[in-house]
Amino acid sequence: MATVISNERLAEGVYHLVVEGGNSGEMGQFYMLRAWGAYPLLSRPLSIHQVNDNGVEFLYHVVGEGTEILAGLNPGDLLELEGPFGTGFPQVEGKVALVGGGIGIAPLYYCAQKLPGSDIYLGFSREPFRTEAFRPLAAELTVDVGGLILDSVDFSVYDHIFVCGPHPMLKAAQLKGIAPEPAGKRPDVYLSLENRMACGIGACLVCSVSCKDGQRKACADGPVFLAEEVLFHD
Amino acid sequence: MINTTATIAGVSFKNPIVMASGTFGFGREYGRLYDVSLLGGISGKGLTLHAKAGNPGIRVYETPSGMLNSVGLENPGVEAFLAKELPYWETLDTARIVNLGGNTLADYVLGAELIQRDADARLLAGKPAVDMIELNISCPNVKEGGIAFGVKTPAAQEVVRAVRAATSLPLAVKLSPNAEDIAEMAVMCEAEGADAVSLINTISGMKIDVRRRRSVFNNLYAGLSGPAIKPVALRMVHQVSRRVTIPVIGMGGITSATDIIEFIMAGATVIQVGTYNFMNLRAGSTLVEELQQFMKEENISSLDEIRGIV
């Protein structure tokens, strides 16, 4: 059990949840959250936004009944927390870019703390959020509203690029990562994928991801994959 | 002293709580959260002779008190299971059930033969690693095989007969609630030499995305499980247990000790827990504890006292 410390609304449908309990986890890992009884049936996977001394923080977007209930939580409320689960971003050396789109910025805040000196790119279709929290952690911070944030990223100057965002953005990052650059570096591009999950621990196989070497599990083998390994079917 | 044990075809279960196929992997993942050897048994992820990638698209969708799944039997295949997972199973102190599916009759038979051969080899080493085969003729999510065998009794009979001839391991047949007559199906299984029947598999269902004007599942239909199907499952277990003398393994929406007791009172020998594993990752250990507590409160010293009393 974990206790809600705060649950602040940051923008339309976007909340910052701070809980006491479960104060562990690596960059890009997630927890399964549950603040209800039998319905909705499944717990909700949320990536780690930050681990602090007393607990863990999440950034989430209200998309359905589960996140709707989460949005109604108040300080002092209890919730079940299982985790941390998954294989997250690797600890790397070299020049790093963190690229987030919308709620996809959530896991990148913890990356920014663990990888000081990274360049950070945050893209939003409408109202931006949490950008000022990122500013002191970034070598350079680029914020884009309404455009395509990936257009701002010169892949040839980085050793590693971590990307989290909507599906089309991940596909575009993969293409950009494998495109032959005229000069410069060929970065390792890592994508944090999102998928429906039931168990969150690798047993149910509902979150399968097609990869070059066969079916992988978003929850256990991922959610972070090397971009070149993932096969996007649509 | 509370006795929760049960026996099926010489296989002993320390308690009636068995984890259902498709919801528990091969136990490793949950084994990191609690000691899975405290369970009565584990029915592993449904296997087919050859590895299967499963279905594309959305694979799970929540419904009121239930969920639809369309995994489509993604699995590593029998041989990979025997090589990579069975050694882990050997370390467990719980009943180990291999759930076997198939695309064709030949697939079922070859799969059963491979498992039998491996079990024999390990028996020679003095350590049986498979206690039972659960024959899956009822998966609604694969186009070939699966439920095609499980709806009509004559088609099912052919599979059960062939697999029974291919293996001497204890054999349970997992039945579909979509069968034309599930009791008749169970009677056939007993006549063909099955040692138990397990029921129910998921109920074929559907969810439409009204904005996109299509089913959310690439396969159109999916399998409904969870508390929503419990009344149907309980009724079918009751019906079937009155028609056969072999043990019935009951399942469908079990989430509490009282649910377990209901299934035992309806006639089940042991039960399986499926979807509840997703609602509570520690479902197995929770239920083992709750069942002991409930039996103590109700002065039930053995499950034999209440089995089939309704």
Side-chain angles (χ1 to χ4, degrees), chain A residues 34 38-44 82 85 196-199 201-206 208 215 217, chain B residues 24-25 29-30 45 53 58-67 71 74 227 275 278-279 281-282:
Chain A
R34 191 175 186 91
Y39 186 78
L41 200 88
L42 303 174
S43 302
R44 293 296 187 265
E82 289 277 9
F85 296 136
R196 286 166 178 269
M197 294 179 184
C199 69
I201 59 173
C204 69
L205 308 185
V206 308
S208 269
Q215 296 293 102
K217 303 163 187 174
Chain B
F24 209 69
E29 294 82 7
Y30 292 91
K45 171 70 194 161
I58 286 178
R59 288 185 170 190
V60 68
Y61 204 97
E62 285 169 285
T63 66
S65 297
M67 61 171 242
V71 173
E74 177 179 337
T275 304
F278 307 147
M279 300 164 69
L281 292 177
R282 291 173 174 76

mmCIF file of all heavy atoms in Angstrom, chain A residues 34 38-44 82 85 196-199 201-206 208 215 217, chain B residues 24-25 29-30 45 53 58-67 71 74 227 275 278-279 281-282:
data_model
loop_
_atom_site.group_PDB
_atom_site.id
_atom_site.type_symbol
_atom_site.label_atom_id
_atom_site.label_comp_id
_atom_site.label_asym_id
_atom_site.label_seq_id
_atom_site.Cartn_x
_atom_site.Cartn_y
_atom_site.Cartn_z
ATOM 1 N N ARG A 34 -3.233 0.718 -8.599
ATOM 2 C CA ARG A 34 -4.622 0.312 -8.433
ATOM 3 C C ARG A 34 -5.194 1.070 -7.250
ATOM 4 O O ARG A 34 -4.643 0.992 -6.151
ATOM 5 C CB ARG A 34 -4.655 -1.190 -8.172
ATOM 6 C CG ARG A 34 -6.016 -1.796 -8.242
ATOM 7 C CD ARG A 34 -5.946 -3.313 -8.081
ATOM 8 N NE ARG A 34 -7.258 -3.852 -8.307
ATOM 9 C CZ ARG A 34 -7.699 -4.259 -9.490
ATOM 10 N NH1 ARG A 34 -6.915 -4.231 -10.524
ATOM 11 N NH2 ARG A 34 -8.932 -4.698 -9.620
ATOM 12 N N ALA A 38 -12.828 -4.192 -7.540
ATOM 13 C CA ALA A 38 -12.841 -5.176 -8.627
ATOM 14 C C ALA A 38 -12.972 -4.546 -10.017
ATOM 15 O O ALA A 38 -12.667 -5.190 -11.012
ATOM 16 C CB ALA A 38 -13.989 -6.159 -8.408
ATOM 17 N N TYR A 39 -13.465 -3.320 -10.081
ATOM 18 C CA TYR A 39 -13.648 -2.701 -11.387
ATOM 19 C C TYR A 39 -13.108 -1.291 -11.405
ATOM 20 O O TYR A 39 -13.374 -0.558 -10.478
ATOM 21 C CB TYR A 39 -15.139 -2.676 -11.767
ATOM 22 C CG TYR A 39 -15.363 -2.171 -13.177
ATOM 23 C CD1 TYR A 39 -15.145 -3.004 -14.263
ATOM 24 C CD2 TYR A 39 -15.741 -0.856 -13.407
ATOM 25 C CE1 TYR A 39 -15.311 -2.541 -15.553
ATOM 26 C CE2 TYR A 39 -15.910 -0.383 -14.699
ATOM 27 C CZ TYR A 39 -15.692 -1.232 -15.761
ATOM 28 O OH TYR A 39 -15.847 -0.782 -17.046
ATOM 29 N N PRO A 40 -12.296 -0.877 -12.366
ATOM 30 C CA PRO A 40 -11.858 -1.659 -13.515
ATOM 31 C C PRO A 40 -11.068 -2.900 -13.087
ATOM 32 O O PRO A 40 -10.456 -2.904 -12.020
ATOM 33 C CB PRO A 40 -10.955 -0.703 -14.289
ATOM 34 C CG PRO A 40 -11.282 0.665 -13.785
ATOM 35 C CD PRO A 40 -11.755 0.495 -12.387
ATOM 36 N N LEU A 41 -11.109 -3.902 -13.910
ATOM 37 C CA LEU A 41 -10.509 -5.182 -13.557
ATOM 38 C C LEU A 41 -8.996 -5.088 -13.415
ATOM 39 O O LEU A 41 -8.404 -5.663 -12.505
ATOM 40 C CB LEU A 41 -10.853 -6.179 -14.666
ATOM 41 C CG LEU A 41 -10.736 -7.633 -14.265
ATOM 42 C CD1 LEU A 41 -12.036 -8.115 -13.661
ATOM 43 C CD2 LEU A 41 -10.383 -8.482 -15.467
ATOM 44 N N LEU A 42 -8.360 -4.387 -14.322
ATOM 45 C CA LEU A 42 -6.897 -4.406 -14.399
ATOM 46 C C LEU A 42 -6.288 -3.195 -13.696
ATOM 47 O O LEU A 42 -6.902 -2.135 -13.605
ATOM 48 C CB LEU A 42 -6.451 -4.417 -15.865
ATOM 49 C CG LEU A 42 -6.995 -5.577 -16.704
ATOM 50 C CD1 LEU A 42 -6.608 -5.403 -18.175
ATOM 51 C CD2 LEU A 42 -6.492 -6.909 -16.172
ATOM 52 N N SER A 43 -5.058 -3.391 -13.224
ATOM 53 C CA SER A 43 -4.298 -2.269 -12.678
ATOM 54 C C SER A 43 -3.751 -1.460 -13.855
ATOM 55 O O SER A 43 -3.806 -1.899 -15.002
ATOM 56 C CB SER A 43 -3.160 -2.787 -11.809
ATOM 57 O OG SER A 43 -3.675 -3.588 -10.770
ATOM 58 N N ARG A 44 -3.222 -0.268 -13.560
ATOM 59 C CA ARG A 44 -2.744 0.594 -14.648
ATOM 60 C C ARG A 44 -1.234 0.769 -14.562
ATOM 61 O O ARG A 44 -0.710 1.115 -13.506
ATOM 62 C CB ARG A 44 -3.423 1.974 -14.562
ATOM 63 C CG ARG A 44 -4.918 1.933 -14.829
ATOM 64 C CD ARG A 44 -5.220 1.491 -16.258
ATOM 65 N NE ARG A 44 -6.631 1.600 -16.604
ATOM 66 C CZ ARG A 44 -7.509 0.598 -16.526
ATOM 67 N NH1 ARG A 44 -7.126 -0.582 -16.076
ATOM 68 N NH2 ARG A 44 -8.766 0.772 -16.882
ATOM 69 N N GLU A 82 2.464 -1.960 -7.257
ATOM 70 C CA GLU A 82 3.324 -3.134 -7.463
ATOM 71 C C GLU A 82 4.431 -2.741 -8.413
ATOM 72 O O GLU A 82 4.177 -2.174 -9.473
ATOM 73 C CB GLU A 82 2.525 -4.301 -8.050
ATOM 74 C CG GLU A 82 1.552 -4.950 -7.092
ATOM 75 C CD GLU A 82 2.202 -5.985 -6.179
ATOM 76 O OE1 GLU A 82 3.448 -6.093 -6.155
ATOM 77 O OE2 GLU A 82 1.437 -6.670 -5.482
ATOM 78 N N PHE A 85 8.667 -2.537 -12.259
ATOM 79 C CA PHE A 85 8.733 -3.596 -13.253
ATOM 80 C C PHE A 85 9.361 -3.072 -14.542
ATOM 81 O O PHE A 85 9.378 -1.869 -14.808
ATOM 82 C CB PHE A 85 7.328 -4.120 -13.575
ATOM 83 C CG PHE A 85 6.630 -4.783 -12.418
ATOM 84 C CD1 PHE A 85 5.289 -4.493 -12.159
ATOM 85 C CD2 PHE A 85 7.289 -5.691 -11.600
ATOM 86 C CE1 PHE A 85 4.631 -5.107 -11.095
ATOM 87 C CE2 PHE A 85 6.632 -6.313 -10.543
ATOM 88 C CZ PHE A 85 5.307 -6.023 -10.288
ATOM 89 N N ARG A 196 -1.224 -1.954 -23.937
ATOM 90 C CA ARG A 196 -2.158 -2.470 -22.932
ATOM 91 C C ARG A 196 -1.500 -3.640 -22.225
ATOM 92 O O ARG A 196 -0.876 -4.482 -22.870
ATOM 93 C CB ARG A 196 -3.426 -2.992 -23.617
ATOM 94 C CG ARG A 196 -4.318 -1.915 -24.122
ATOM 95 C CD ARG A 196 -5.359 -2.468 -25.072
ATOM 96 N NE ARG A 196 -6.218 -1.395 -25.486
ATOM 97 C CZ ARG A 196 -7.345 -1.065 -24.858
ATOM 98 N NH1 ARG A 196 -7.765 -1.765 -23.831
ATOM 99 N NH2 ARG A 196 -8.059 -0.041 -25.263
ATOM 100 N N MET A 197 -1.665 -3.691 -20.911
ATOM 101 C CA MET A 197 -1.084 -4.779 -20.134
ATOM 102 C C MET A 197 -2.146 -5.348 -19.207
ATOM 103 O O MET A 197 -3.070 -4.648 -18.811
ATOM 104 C CB MET A 197 0.062 -4.257 -19.269
ATOM 105 C CG MET A 197 1.247 -3.765 -20.055
ATOM 106 S SD MET A 197 2.531 -3.139 -18.967
ATOM 107 C CE MET A 197 3.698 -2.530 -20.196
ATOM 108 N N ALA A 198 -1.992 -6.635 -18.864
ATOM 109 C CA ALA A 198 -2.877 -7.206 -17.849
ATOM 110 C C ALA A 198 -2.082 -7.471 -16.572
ATOM 111 O O ALA A 198 -2.377 -6.937 -15.524
ATOM 112 C CB ALA A 198 -3.541 -8.478 -18.352
ATOM 113 N N CYS A 199 -1.004 -8.280 -16.677
ATOM 114 C CA CYS A 199 -0.268 -8.609 -15.449
ATOM 115 C C CYS A 199 0.858 -7.619 -15.163
ATOM 116 O O CYS A 199 1.143 -7.314 -14.017
ATOM 117 C CB CYS A 199 0.274 -10.033 -15.508
ATOM 118 S SG CYS A 199 1.606 -10.306 -16.691
ATOM 119 N N ILE A 201 3.977 -8.242 -15.557
ATOM 120 C CA ILE A 201 5.210 -8.925 -15.143
ATOM 121 C C ILE A 201 5.705 -9.960 -16.156
ATOM 122 O O ILE A 201 6.662 -10.673 -15.884
ATOM 123 C CB ILE A 201 5.039 -9.595 -13.763
ATOM 124 C CG1 ILE A 201 3.888 -10.616 -13.775
ATOM 125 C CG2 ILE A 201 4.830 -8.546 -12.683
ATOM 126 C CD1 ILE A 201 3.788 -11.426 -12.488
ATOM 127 N N GLY A 202 5.024 -10.073 -17.295
ATOM 128 C CA GLY A 202 5.531 -10.973 -18.341
ATOM 129 C C GLY A 202 4.834 -12.307 -18.440
ATOM 130 O O GLY A 202 5.303 -13.198 -19.143
ATOM 131 N N ALA A 203 3.696 -12.474 -17.765
ATOM 132 C CA ALA A 203 3.043 -13.781 -17.761
ATOM 133 C C ALA A 203 1.888 -13.897 -18.751
ATOM 134 O O ALA A 203 1.630 -14.971 -19.279
ATOM 135 C CB ALA A 203 2.539 -14.102 -16.357
ATOM 136 N N CYS A 204 1.190 -12.794 -19.031
ATOM 137 C CA CYS A 204 -0.077 -12.925 -19.760
ATOM 138 C C CYS A 204 0.057 -12.773 -21.273
ATOM 139 O O CYS A 204 -0.810 -13.206 -22.016
ATOM 140 C CB CYS A 204 -1.093 -11.919 -19.227
ATOM 141 S SG CYS A 204 -0.698 -10.201 -19.621
ATOM 142 N N LEU A 205 1.122 -12.138 -21.714
ATOM 143 C CA LEU A 205 1.427 -11.971 -23.143
ATOM 144 C C LEU A 205 0.427 -11.103 -23.905
ATOM 145 O O LEU A 205 0.315 -11.217 -25.120
ATOM 146 C CB LEU A 205 1.553 -13.338 -23.841
ATOM 147 C CG LEU A 205 2.507 -14.342 -23.191
ATOM 148 C CD1 LEU A 205 2.637 -15.599 -24.050
ATOM 149 C CD2 LEU A 205 3.879 -13.742 -22.945
ATOM 150 N N VAL A 206 -0.304 -10.236 -23.215
ATOM 151 C CA VAL A 206 -1.199 -9.349 -23.963
ATOM 152 C C VAL A 206 -0.452 -8.131 -24.506
ATOM 153 O O VAL A 206 -0.954 -7.435 -25.374
ATOM 154 C CB VAL A 206 -2.453 -8.898 -23.169
ATOM 155 C CG1 VAL A 206 -3.198 -10.070 -22.581
ATOM 156 C CG2 VAL A 206 -2.131 -7.880 -22.111
ATOM 157 N N SER A 208 2.482 -8.071 -26.122
ATOM 158 C CA SER A 208 3.547 -8.502 -27.031
ATOM 159 C C SER A 208 3.932 -7.428 -28.041
ATOM 160 O O SER A 208 3.070 -6.712 -28.553
ATOM 161 C CB SER A 208 3.101 -9.745 -27.795
ATOM 162 O OG SER A 208 3.473 -10.894 -27.097
ATOM 163 N N GLN A 215 8.647 -12.347 -30.916
ATOM 164 C CA GLN A 215 7.750 -11.619 -30.027
ATOM 165 C C GLN A 215 8.461 -11.306 -28.710
ATOM 166 O O GLN A 215 9.067 -12.179 -28.096
ATOM 167 C CB GLN A 215 6.504 -12.464 -29.738
ATOM 168 C CG GLN A 215 5.645 -12.764 -30.954
ATOM 169 C CD GLN A 215 4.995 -11.527 -31.517
ATOM 170 O OE1 GLN A 215 5.451 -10.991 -32.527
ATOM 171 N NE2 GLN A 215 3.955 -11.046 -30.892
ATOM 172 N N LYS A 217 8.046 -8.951 -24.843
ATOM 173 C CA LYS A 217 7.004 -8.444 -23.956
ATOM 174 C C LYS A 217 7.299 -6.995 -23.597
ATOM 175 O O LYS A 217 8.380 -6.702 -23.077
ATOM 176 C CB LYS A 217 6.977 -9.279 -22.678
ATOM 177 C CG LYS A 217 6.764 -10.758 -22.913
ATOM 178 C CD LYS A 217 7.166 -11.535 -21.675
ATOM 179 C CE LYS A 217 7.129 -13.023 -21.955
ATOM 180 N NZ LYS A 217 7.658 -13.804 -20.820
ATOM 181 N N PHE B 24 -0.627 -17.347 -16.051
ATOM 182 C CA PHE B 24 0.424 -17.550 -15.049
ATOM 183 C C PHE B 24 1.768 -17.846 -15.696
ATOM 184 O O PHE B 24 2.714 -18.218 -14.993
ATOM 185 C CB PHE B 24 -0.008 -18.714 -14.142
ATOM 186 C CG PHE B 24 0.536 -18.614 -12.738
ATOM 187 C CD1 PHE B 24 0.092 -17.624 -11.875
ATOM 188 C CD2 PHE B 24 1.502 -19.510 -12.284
ATOM 189 C CE1 PHE B 24 0.593 -17.528 -10.581
ATOM 190 C CE2 PHE B 24 2.006 -19.417 -10.990
ATOM 191 C CZ PHE B 24 1.547 -18.427 -10.138
ATOM 192 N N GLY B 25 1.876 -17.669 -17.017
ATOM 193 C CA GLY B 25 3.114 -18.034 -17.709
ATOM 194 C C GLY B 25 3.467 -19.462 -17.350
ATOM 195 O O GLY B 25 2.607 -20.355 -17.378
ATOM 196 N N GLU B 29 7.438 -15.693 -13.341
ATOM 197 C CA GLU B 29 7.229 -14.270 -13.056
ATOM 198 C C GLU B 29 6.585 -14.088 -11.687
ATOM 199 O O GLU B 29 7.009 -13.250 -10.895
ATOM 200 C CB GLU B 29 6.352 -13.629 -14.148
ATOM 201 C CG GLU B 29 7.002 -13.576 -15.524
ATOM 202 C CD GLU B 29 6.905 -14.867 -16.317
ATOM 203 O OE1 GLU B 29 6.205 -15.803 -15.860
ATOM 204 O OE2 GLU B 29 7.547 -14.967 -17.378
ATOM 205 N N TYR B 30 5.556 -14.905 -11.412
ATOM 206 C CA TYR B 30 4.903 -14.802 -10.106
ATOM 207 C C TYR B 30 5.819 -15.338 -9.012
ATOM 208 O O TYR B 30 5.728 -14.924 -7.851
ATOM 209 C CB TYR B 30 3.568 -15.554 -10.116
ATOM 210 C CG TYR B 30 2.536 -14.899 -10.995
ATOM 211 C CD1 TYR B 30 2.405 -15.243 -12.334
ATOM 212 C CD2 TYR B 30 1.707 -13.906 -10.489
ATOM 213 C CE1 TYR B 30 1.466 -14.640 -13.157
ATOM 214 C CE2 TYR B 30 0.758 -13.289 -11.292
ATOM 215 C CZ TYR B 30 0.647 -13.658 -12.633
ATOM 216 O OH TYR B 30 -0.275 -13.050 -13.431
ATOM 217 N N LYS B 45 1.224 -22.029 -19.477
ATOM 218 C CA LYS B 45 0.754 -21.350 -20.693
ATOM 219 C C LYS B 45 0.481 -22.387 -21.786
ATOM 220 O O LYS B 45 1.281 -23.299 -21.987
ATOM 221 C CB LYS B 45 1.850 -20.364 -21.137
ATOM 222 C CG LYS B 45 1.627 -19.729 -22.488
ATOM 223 C CD LYS B 45 0.494 -18.754 -22.475
ATOM 224 C CE LYS B 45 0.071 -18.380 -23.897
ATOM 225 N NZ LYS B 45 -1.284 -17.808 -23.947
ATOM 226 N N ALA B 53 3.167 -17.049 -32.682
ATOM 227 C CA ALA B 53 3.363 -15.625 -32.381
ATOM 228 C C ALA B 53 2.112 -14.998 -31.774
ATOM 229 O O ALA B 53 2.170 -13.918 -31.192
ATOM 230 C CB ALA B 53 3.759 -14.868 -33.638
ATOM 231 N N ILE B 58 -4.980 -5.317 -30.731
ATOM 232 C CA ILE B 58 -5.324 -5.264 -29.312
ATOM 233 C C ILE B 58 -5.595 -6.679 -28.800
ATOM 234 O O ILE B 58 -6.296 -7.456 -29.433
ATOM 235 C CB ILE B 58 -6.547 -4.343 -29.095
ATOM 236 C CG1 ILE B 58 -6.111 -2.876 -29.242
ATOM 237 C CG2 ILE B 58 -7.192 -4.579 -27.733
ATOM 238 C CD1 ILE B 58 -7.243 -1.878 -29.088
ATOM 239 N N ARG B 59 -5.019 -6.990 -27.656
ATOM 240 C CA ARG B 59 -5.173 -8.350 -27.126
ATOM 241 C C ARG B 59 -5.978 -8.412 -25.842
ATOM 242 O O ARG B 59 -6.290 -9.507 -25.369
ATOM 243 C CB ARG B 59 -3.793 -8.954 -26.859
ATOM 244 C CG ARG B 59 -3.040 -9.313 -28.110
ATOM 245 C CD ARG B 59 -1.733 -10.016 -27.764
ATOM 246 N NE ARG B 59 -1.101 -10.582 -28.936
ATOM 247 C CZ ARG B 59 -0.050 -11.405 -28.883
ATOM 248 N NH1 ARG B 59 0.465 -11.728 -27.711
ATOM 249 N NH2 ARG B 59 0.475 -11.884 -29.982
ATOM 250 N N VAL B 60 -6.261 -7.272 -25.255
ATOM 251 C CA VAL B 60 -7.058 -7.299 -24.025
ATOM 252 C C VAL B 60 -7.977 -6.091 -23.991
ATOM 253 O O VAL B 60 -7.612 -5.006 -24.459
ATOM 254 C CB VAL B 60 -6.151 -7.338 -22.769
ATOM 255 C CG1 VAL B 60 -5.381 -6.045 -22.577
ATOM 256 C CG2 VAL B 60 -6.951 -7.642 -21.495
ATOM 257 N N TYR B 61 -9.189 -6.282 -23.476
ATOM 258 C CA TYR B 61 -10.141 -5.182 -23.342
ATOM 259 C C TYR B 61 -11.001 -5.454 -22.111
ATOM 260 O O TYR B 61 -11.529 -6.552 -21.956
ATOM 261 C CB TYR B 61 -11.023 -5.062 -24.595
ATOM 262 C CG TYR B 61 -11.570 -3.681 -24.769
ATOM 263 C CD1 TYR B 61 -10.949 -2.769 -25.611
ATOM 264 C CD2 TYR B 61 -12.697 -3.267 -24.056
ATOM 265 C CE1 TYR B 61 -11.433 -1.474 -25.751
ATOM 266 C CE2 TYR B 61 -13.178 -1.979 -24.184
ATOM 267 C CZ TYR B 61 -12.549 -1.093 -25.033
ATOM 268 O OH TYR B 61 -13.019 0.189 -25.165
ATOM 269 N N GLU B 62 -11.096 -4.451 -21.251
ATOM 270 C CA GLU B 62 -11.892 -4.659 -20.030
ATOM 271 C C GLU B 62 -13.377 -4.540 -20.298
ATOM 272 O O GLU B 62 -13.812 -3.761 -21.137
ATOM 273 C CB GLU B 62 -11.483 -3.643 -18.968
ATOM 274 C CG GLU B 62 -10.152 -3.966 -18.341
ATOM 275 C CD GLU B 62 -9.641 -2.819 -17.500
ATOM 276 O OE1 GLU B 62 -9.183 -1.828 -18.083
ATOM 277 O OE2 GLU B 62 -9.711 -2.910 -16.271
ATOM 278 N N THR B 63 -14.147 -5.315 -19.559
ATOM 279 C CA THR B 63 -15.608 -5.267 -19.616
ATOM 280 C C THR B 63 -16.090 -5.158 -18.174
ATOM 281 O O THR B 63 -15.295 -5.333 -17.264
ATOM 282 C CB THR B 63 -16.164 -6.568 -20.229
ATOM 283 O OG1 THR B 63 -15.876 -7.640 -19.328
ATOM 284 C CG2 THR B 63 -15.541 -6.870 -21.584
ATOM 285 N N PRO B 64 -17.379 -4.885 -17.957
ATOM 286 C CA PRO B 64 -17.843 -4.864 -16.566
ATOM 287 C C PRO B 64 -17.544 -6.204 -15.881
ATOM 288 O O PRO B 64 -18.014 -7.242 -16.313
ATOM 289 C CB PRO B 64 -19.342 -4.598 -16.692
ATOM 290 C CG PRO B 64 -19.449 -3.814 -17.971
ATOM 291 C CD PRO B 64 -18.420 -4.429 -18.886
ATOM 292 N N SER B 65 -16.708 -6.151 -14.858
ATOM 293 C CA SER B 65 -16.311 -7.329 -14.075
ATOM 294 C C SER B 65 -15.682 -8.451 -14.890
ATOM 295 O O SER B 65 -15.770 -9.614 -14.508
ATOM 296 C CB SER B 65 -17.508 -7.888 -13.290
ATOM 297 O OG SER B 65 -17.940 -6.936 -12.373
ATOM 298 N N GLY B 66 -15.082 -8.093 -15.983
ATOM 299 C CA GLY B 66 -14.424 -9.129 -16.775
ATOM 300 C C GLY B 66 -13.440 -8.543 -17.756
ATOM 301 O O GLY B 66 -13.183 -7.339 -17.752
ATOM 302 N N MET B 67 -12.864 -9.414 -18.536
ATOM 303 C CA MET B 67 -12.007 -8.927 -19.605
ATOM 304 C C MET B 67 -12.079 -9.870 -20.798
ATOM 305 O O MET B 67 -12.322 -11.071 -20.660
ATOM 306 C CB MET B 67 -10.552 -8.782 -19.140
ATOM 307 C CG MET B 67 -9.885 -10.054 -18.689
ATOM 308 S SD MET B 67 -8.114 -9.838 -18.406
ATOM 309 C CE MET B 67 -7.464 -10.964 -19.630
ATOM 310 N N VAL B 71 -5.221 -13.230 -27.124
ATOM 311 C CA VAL B 71 -3.783 -13.482 -27.210
ATOM 312 C C VAL B 71 -3.486 -14.436 -28.361
ATOM 313 O O VAL B 71 -2.490 -14.266 -29.079
ATOM 314 C CB VAL B 71 -3.245 -14.040 -25.866
ATOM 315 C CG1 VAL B 71 -1.786 -14.467 -25.996
ATOM 316 C CG2 VAL B 71 -3.387 -12.990 -24.770
ATOM 317 N N GLU B 74 -0.095 -17.354 -28.089
ATOM 318 C CA GLU B 74 1.339 -17.113 -28.234
ATOM 319 C C GLU B 74 2.081 -18.035 -27.269
ATOM 320 O O GLU B 74 1.776 -18.073 -26.079
ATOM 321 C CB GLU B 74 1.681 -15.648 -27.919
ATOM 322 C CG GLU B 74 3.188 -15.395 -28.006
ATOM 323 C CD GLU B 74 3.589 -13.946 -27.727
ATOM 324 O OE1 GLU B 74 2.746 -13.050 -27.890
ATOM 325 O OE2 GLU B 74 4.751 -13.733 -27.353
ATOM 326 N N PRO B 227 -14.810 -12.274 -13.097
ATOM 327 C CA PRO B 227 -15.993 -12.460 -12.254
ATOM 328 C C PRO B 227 -17.319 -12.460 -13.035
ATOM 329 O O PRO B 227 -18.278 -13.119 -12.619
ATOM 330 C CB PRO B 227 -15.929 -11.258 -11.301
ATOM 331 C CG PRO B 227 -14.476 -10.950 -11.198
ATOM 332 C CD PRO B 227 -13.900 -11.243 -12.550
ATOM 333 N N THR B 275 -8.077 -14.962 -14.256
ATOM 334 C CA THR B 275 -8.055 -13.503 -14.370
ATOM 335 C C THR B 275 -7.696 -12.798 -13.058
ATOM 336 O O THR B 275 -7.092 -11.729 -13.068
ATOM 337 C CB THR B 275 -9.438 -13.020 -14.869
ATOM 338 O OG1 THR B 275 -9.698 -13.698 -16.112
ATOM 339 C CG2 THR B 275 -9.477 -11.539 -15.111
ATOM 340 N N PHE B 278 -4.408 -11.185 -12.464
ATOM 341 C CA PHE B 278 -4.118 -9.847 -12.990
ATOM 342 C C PHE B 278 -4.655 -8.763 -12.057
ATOM 343 O O PHE B 278 -4.157 -7.644 -12.026
ATOM 344 C CB PHE B 278 -4.730 -9.661 -14.382
ATOM 345 C CG PHE B 278 -4.358 -10.732 -15.370
ATOM 346 C CD1 PHE B 278 -5.255 -11.122 -16.352
ATOM 347 C CD2 PHE B 278 -3.112 -11.340 -15.324
ATOM 348 C CE1 PHE B 278 -4.910 -12.102 -17.277
ATOM 349 C CE2 PHE B 278 -2.759 -12.324 -16.229
ATOM 350 C CZ PHE B 278 -3.670 -12.707 -17.211
ATOM 351 N N MET B 279 -5.708 -9.084 -11.323
ATOM 352 C CA MET B 279 -6.287 -8.102 -10.403
ATOM 353 C C MET B 279 -5.446 -8.000 -9.135
ATOM 354 O O MET B 279 -5.411 -6.965 -8.479
ATOM 355 C CB MET B 279 -7.724 -8.516 -10.039
ATOM 356 C CG MET B 279 -8.642 -8.603 -11.253
ATOM 357 S SD MET B 279 -10.170 -9.515 -10.911
ATOM 358 C CE MET B 279 -11.010 -8.388 -9.801
ATOM 359 N N LEU B 281 -1.648 -9.512 -8.117
ATOM 360 C CA LEU B 281 -0.498 -10.309 -8.546
ATOM 361 C C LEU B 281 -0.144 -11.375 -7.526
ATOM 362 O O LEU B 281 0.542 -12.335 -7.844
ATOM 363 C CB LEU B 281 0.710 -9.401 -8.810
ATOM 364 C CG LEU B 281 0.592 -8.455 -10.012
ATOM 365 C CD1 LEU B 281 1.825 -7.562 -10.105
ATOM 366 C CD2 LEU B 281 0.415 -9.234 -11.311
ATOM 367 N N ARG B 282 -0.603 -11.217 -6.293
ATOM 368 C CA ARG B 282 -0.355 -12.215 -5.262
ATOM 369 C C ARG B 282 -1.613 -13.037 -4.992
ATOM 370 O O ARG B 282 -1.821 -13.545 -3.880
ATOM 371 C CB ARG B 282 0.136 -11.529 -3.982
ATOM 372 C CG ARG B 282 1.526 -10.936 -4.130
ATOM 373 C CD ARG B 282 1.947 -10.119 -2.926
ATOM 374 N NE ARG B 282 3.328 -9.690 -3.032
ATOM 375 C CZ ARG B 282 3.763 -8.697 -3.808
ATOM 376 N NH1 ARG B 282 2.910 -8.008 -4.526
ATOM 377 N NH2 ARG B 282 5.046 -8.388 -3.858
#
